[in-house]
Amino acid sequence: MTLIGQRIPKLDAADKATGRSRYIQDLRLPGLLEARVLRSTVPHGRIVSVDVSRAREAPGVFAVLASQDIPPKRYGYAKDTTALKGDRVRRIGDEIAAVAAVDADAAAEALDLIRFEIEPLPAVFDPERTLDPGAPLVHEDRGSNLVRTHDYAHGRVEEGFARAAHVVEGTFRLPAQAHGCLGPAGAVAEWDARGRLTLHDPTQIPFLIQRDLADTLGIPPSDLRIIQPTIAGGFGARLDLYPHEIISALLARAAGRPVRLAMDREEDFATDPVRPRTVVRMRTAAAADGALLAREADVIVDCGAYVSWGAVTPIVMMHTMGSFYRVPHVKYRARTVYTNTAPTGAFRGFGNPEITFAIESQMDELAARIGIDPVEMRLRNANQPGEVTPQGSRITSCGMKECLEAVRERMPPPGTRPPGGRPLLRAAGENLVASATQTETESPSSPAICPAGRIEGTEPARSPLRRGIGVAAVFHVGGGARIYRSDGCGAMVKIDDFGKATVVVGATDIGQGMETVAAQMAAEELGVPLEAVRIAPADTDVRPWDVGVHASRTTFIAGNAVRAAAKDAKRQIEAARTALGLPPDTPYDKVVRSEHFRDQGSLVIGRAYFDPPNAMVDAENKGNVSAAYVFGAHAAEVEVDVETGQVRVLRVVAAHDVGRAINPMYVEGQIEGGVMQGIGYALLEEVILREGGMSNPNFLDYRMPGPQDMPSIETVIVETNDPSGPFGAKGIGEPPLVPVAAAIANAVANATGVRLRELPMTPERVWRALRAWADVEAPGEICGKE
């Protein structure tokens, strides 16, 4: 192979680096108007009146809309919302009215002229209290704040716990996390004279938007065209139909001119979907030799005021519960609930970082109880190639063992001196004196930090800095994820009479390098240089169907489609050579020209549609949802200041089974980016809510990791050559984020003896946890465990 496995720069790298790429904010159309939205400032209330008459008379205003001006069409996963709210607002930021004017200033001035009255109603913000008797109902017509319950079980879980030599349990609290995409959300809508709508939209699901938006607007989907500009980040934030897309189209229709509705930074933070707040109550059982026996979890997931993709994350958690490691007895229940907060959506990892944090924390706790190395604990229970889990996941290629061994080889074992650092205080699993506050469910080997600030039985520390190493593994889909009836993608490869190949593929590039990887695969299959391949623009009028960019599916599914289409085009070329009597080494351009000019000639266009061999879950929530699964392991070395609670990540070793690295540079980039996003989730990032509204909606107050937070990251690519993947490849977009928080929490526990079960592990939370262990007279609530 000449192109597969090569470190080829992204095709759009130069345009992005030099400012030639056009984002939604850069788009200019003749007569373009700018739009602004009037939003609710109360979390729950009855709309008494909305008066837009003065705004309609304001200078430069072309259109003003309130709910009475648009069809009362409900949309969304649960059909529980409208683009402009007419009777109730259910969260701070709900859309009440919208204005389109000659510029943003004129639109903002018109908004100030709108008079409205909202009668406040009782609200509920805590997902753990929303199902309490008497809690305010977010949607009164539904009669309950319970959105959905997911139940899953295999084996006999109580029997597993009864046989266990060791049981650990705890409550884990995970925060809402904002996407923080470099480019805020926005859309530009334009209607033509025939009533056909073109929407310029950095969406991750153009073909699903085409259907859903058309239904909301009351037009045929064939009258809606989606053009995707350069997308400045997605991570799941652009994976649904959102109010701004509908409102921009309605304003453009009312104004008779194109309209852009683009969020500013604070508006984007405050209204974008977020990773759901999640509470996981979990217990895990193991035999004396470390073999896992049982796992049970009760999960609460906050879906916010309206149902979006955040409400579906329990499905991914369910698969991790049932298939990650070999566990004979599993029971799982997840309840998704309404609150008067921002809707929650898809976020990189899609529920897996939340459940993996609990699973991998308890793997370390069990290893400590049993007295074995944490990596060895995982190796004894690791998934194997060729196995079918009780949940139904068919594991084809599996490099879990190789990933675990890779991080163990590259990270100094606990108890040794890290390069340039101090000796670690203890080895993982070493038995230390237990705290006086120990409960029956705590590990007897949990160490106590003494009031003197030292580990019991050691000399007083001279420095407040402690170093520790933690490990965590990951199981994730890597060959699609069938949550729709279709998980497919179409592709075409056209060879022109100059020998150039144009790849037309339904998949979306959100910065992950899809277009370059597709070009590499097509060029490799055709046997032509990369420079001979072009990628067609992202336009639903041109590109074939694809379900969207999510679930780490694009390389596997779009790649298979592109490779098959290229094979079809090559077959046509070879058939034409034979029919025309041309030598086998005749160049493509001459073959195609000869085919064009002969009597009854034809075009050379290869076509393919790839829908993977996976299945939706059945009535028992079992089934093989992905055609391939990816595995990985991370080891993190941290330094903890026990006087301030500050945690600094010094080094991360991240090993991932990718099947085959089509472009190792992109794989490394995905891993490094996932590690940094995971560090943010572990230590820094949290949507702070006050009375339902985000109180930190900017990059100053919403703390994301920057260059100063970046540790040394060593990436290890493990290739297992999946039999179903294109050239053996599997997906890698999401997995690198998933185990990061657990690895860091395990490293903090290794350094200090304190187990944190709530994210982010801010200095204050760490400091309070350390003090709680030290102060045996007033232990309080320790690390989220009651």
Side-chain angles (χ1 to χ4, degrees):
M1 295 186 182
T2 60
L3 290 168
I4 301 304
Q6 300 302 310
R7 304 173 67 85
I8 296 171
K10 292 182 180 178
L11 298 180
D12 62 356
D15 285 346
K16 287 181 175 176
T18 58
R20 285 194 293 268
S21 294
R22 295 211 309 168
Y23 300 90
I24 195 67
Q25 292 81 5
D26 301 320
L27 190 61
R28 297 290 181 267
L29 296 175
L32 181 66
L33 303 176
E34 299 289 347
R36 289 294 179 268
V37 175
L38 179 68
R39 300 182 181 277
S40 170
T41 56
V42 300
H44 195 197
R46 184 176 67 86
I47 299 175
V48 177
S49 63
V50 178
D51 182 1
V52 300
S53 58
R54 293 177 61 200
R56 286 189 169 129
E57 301 300 321
V61 171
F62 279 74
V64 180
L65 297 176
S67 66
Q68 62 267 25
D69 304 309
I70 65 173
K73 183 74 174 180
R74 289 179 174 265
Y75 71 95
Y77 190 85
K79 306 295 184 186
D80 58 0
T81 188
T82 56
L84 295 173
K85 280 56 181 179
D87 56 347
R88 296 282 181 95
V89 292
R90 294 178 170 87
R91 57 133 178 179
I92 291 175
D94 261 352
E95 302 80 5
I96 299 172
V99 174
V102 291
D103 56 39
D105 289 340
E109 290 171 4
L111 281 189
D112 290 339
L113 299 175
I114 298 175
R115 297 292 176 261
F116 65 98
E117 180 183 354
I118 297 177
E119 175 190 337
L121 296 171
V124 59
F125 309 121
D126 185 347
E128 295 186 81
R129 301 275 74 89
T130 189
L131 298 180
D132 288 353
L137 293 177
V138 179
H139 295 268
E140 285 190 342
D141 58 327
R142 295 180 179 264
S144 172
N145 287 328
L146 179 64
V147 176
R148 186 175 177 183
T149 299
H150 291 84
D151 287 298
Y152 169 78
H154 70 247
R156 296 177 294 276
V157 73
E158 292 303 331
E159 177 182 313
F161 281 104
R163 292 170 46 209
H166 304 281
V167 176
V168 295
E169 64 181 86
T171 299
F172 300 84
R173 291 186 168 86
L174 297 312
Q177 183 184 19
H179 296 88
C181 299
L182 286 177
V188 173
E190 181 180 25
W191 298 81
D192 66 19
R194 296 172 298 170
R196 193 165 192 258
L197 172 64
T198 296
L199 188 74
H200 301 265
D201 187 2
T203 178
Q204 295 177 231
I205 49 169
F207 294 96
L208 296 183
I209 289 289
Q210 189 178 28
R211 180 197 63 194
D212 293 345
L213 179 56
D215 179 67
T216 304
L217 297 173
I219 64 174
S222 57
D223 283 347
L224 174 54
R225 176 189 186 189
I226 307 288
I227 299 176
Q228 295 163 283
T230 304
I231 299 176
F235 309 113
R238 314 289 180 245
L239 204 62
D240 207 346
L241 175 62
Y242 299 111
H244 70 269
E245 293 159 326
I246 304 170
I247 293 170
S248 62
L250 291 170
L251 284 170
R253 183 157 61 183
R257 291 174 62 168
V259 170
R260 174 180 18 235
L261 177 49
M263 311 298 167
D264 61 30
R265 178 57 64 188
E266 293 209 355
E267 193 175 23
D268 188 64
F269 261 117
T271 61
D272 248 14
V274 297
R275 186 190 295 279
R277 291 181 293 168
T278 303
V279 180
V280 180
R281 292 178 174 85
M282 181 177 288
R283 61 175 181 153
T284 309
D289 64 356
L292 292 173
L293 295 177
R295 182 188 290 157
E296 182 176 19
D298 182 48
V299 181
I300 296 287
V301 177
D302 177 17
C303 88
Y306 308 104
V307 175
S308 184
W309 282 110
V312 188
T313 58
I315 296 177
V316 171
M317 296 185 204
M318 176 177 67
H319 282 274
T320 300
M321 278 288 295
S323 295
F324 189 18
Y325 299 119
R326 287 172 286 129
V327 189
H329 307 285
V330 170
K331 185 177 181 180
Y332 167 82
R333 164 165 284 196
R335 289 167 292 170
T336 309
V337 297
Y338 282 120
T339 60
N340 292 111
T341 61
T344 60
F347 199 121
R348 189 179 192 177
F350 201 70
N352 210 0
E354 294 93 304
I355 202 72
T356 297
F357 181 68
I359 289 173
E360 288 298 274
S361 294
Q362 293 197 338
M363 288 293 284
D364 258 37
E365 291 186 83
L366 285 168
R369 276 204 173 192
I370 297 165
I372 63 175
D373 177 74
V375 173
E376 181 60 31
M377 177 74 184
R378 290 166 172 84
L379 286 170
R380 292 183 187 183
N381 296 279
N383 298 101
Q384 303 292 334
E387 75 175 66
V388 179
T389 71
Q391 201 274 338
S393 299
R394 295 184 176 274
I395 295 174
T396 51
S397 57
C398 175
M400 188 175 186
K401 178 182 176 182
E402 292 85 347
C403 291
L404 286 164
E405 291 175 339
V407 299
R408 181 161 62 180
E409 290 170 4
R410 288 164 174 80
M411 186 66 79
T416 64
R417 182 185 297 274
R422 298 176 180 83
L424 298 176
L425 288 175
R426 66 184 180 94
E430 180 181 337
N431 288 327
L432 299 172
V433 177
S435 165
T437 61
Q438 179 183 325
T439 68
E440 291 182 357
T441 59
E442 273 186 284
S443 167
S445 61
S446 299
I449 295 244
C450 299
R454 61 184 175 87
I455 300 293
E456 186 72 47
T458 70
E459 294 299 319
R462 295 182 178 180
S463 168
L465 301 179
R466 308 284 190 272
R467 285 198 178 187
I469 292 172
V471 175
V474 56
F475 162 90
H476 200 73
V477 296
R482 193 172 291 274
I483 51 178
Y484 301 102
R485 287 173 295 174
S486 170
D487 197 12
C489 177
M492 296 180 288
V493 175
K494 182 191 75 171
I495 311 296
D496 65 24
D497 57 358
F498 304 106
K500 301 293 185 181
T502 299
V503 175
V504 189
V505 58
T508 294
D509 196 319
I510 55 173
Q512 83 278 39
M514 181 282 295
E515 293 187 352
T516 308
V517 167
Q520 282 182 255
M521 292 186 183
E524 181 71 37
E525 191 61 46
L526 292 168
V528 300
L530 187 68
E531 296 75 20
V533 178
R534 304 186 185 96
I535 304 295
D539 183 339
T540 56
D541 274 5
V542 176
R543 288 188 171 185
W545 159 266
D546 177 61
V547 78
V549 54
H550 64 270
S552 306
R553 66 185 291 276
T554 301
T555 293
F556 188 93
I557 293 177
N560 268 314
V562 168
R563 188 181 186 189
K567 280 185 177 180
D568 185 32
K570 184 167 65 174
R571 177 192 58 78
Q572 294 177 38
I573 290 283
E574 291 169 351
R577 278 194 188 120
T578 301
L580 294 166
L582 298 173
D585 59 350
T586 305
Y588 282 8
D589 55 347
K590 185 174 181 180
V591 175
V592 173
R593 282 198 300 273
S594 299
E595 182 68 17
H596 286 175
F597 296 150
R598 74 176 178 89
D599 185 39
Q600 301 297 313
S602 64
L603 302 173
V604 176
I605 302 177
R607 300 174 178 84
Y609 182 76
F610 181 78
D611 200 5
N614 53 9
M616 298 182 75
V617 295
D618 59 21
E620 295 182 341
N621 281 323
K622 295 181 179 181
N624 186 42
V625 297
S626 185
Y629 297 90
V630 292
F631 300 85
H634 288 198
E637 181 187 354
V638 305
E639 188 172 73
V640 184
D641 188 325
V642 297
E643 291 184 354
T644 66
Q646 184 74 40
V647 177
R648 188 162 66 99
V649 182
L650 304 177
R651 183 174 173 227
V652 173
V653 178
H656 284 271
D657 163 21
V658 301
R660 179 75 182 274
I662 303 298
N663 190 318
M665 183 163 58
Y666 296 3
V667 173
E668 292 164 0
Q670 289 285 4
I671 294 173
E672 291 165 358
V675 167
M676 287 301 290
Q677 211 163 21
I679 288 173
Y681 189 50
L683 300 178
L684 302 169
E685 296 184 47
E686 181 177 15
V687 174
I688 299 174
L689 298 173
R690 290 198 175 96
E691 293 300 306
M694 185 178 183
S695 63
N696 55 336
N698 53 66
F699 283 131
L700 177 64
D701 298 318
Y702 184 85
R703 179 80 164 83
M704 299 180 77
Q708 72 278 9
D709 302 300
M710 188 169 187
S712 167
I713 302 174
E714 180 180 355
T715 60
V716 182
I717 297 174
V718 174
E719 295 192 320
T720 54
N721 287 299
D722 191 84
S724 299
F727 300 100
K730 298 189 285 190
I732 188 58
E734 294 174 291
L737 182 150
V738 174
V740 177
I744 293 173
N746 289 338
V748 170
N750 177 252
T752 67
V754 173
R755 170 65 57 187
L756 283 101
R757 298 186 177 90
E758 183 172 5
L759 299 182
M761 294 175 281
T762 60
E764 180 180 355
R765 282 197 176 114
V766 176
W767 184 87
R768 290 186 182 280
L770 290 165
R771 299 287 77 71
W773 277 103
D775 188 358
V776 295
E777 293 184 1
E781 184 174 314
I782 301 173
C783 314
K785 180 152 64 72
E786 298 168 357

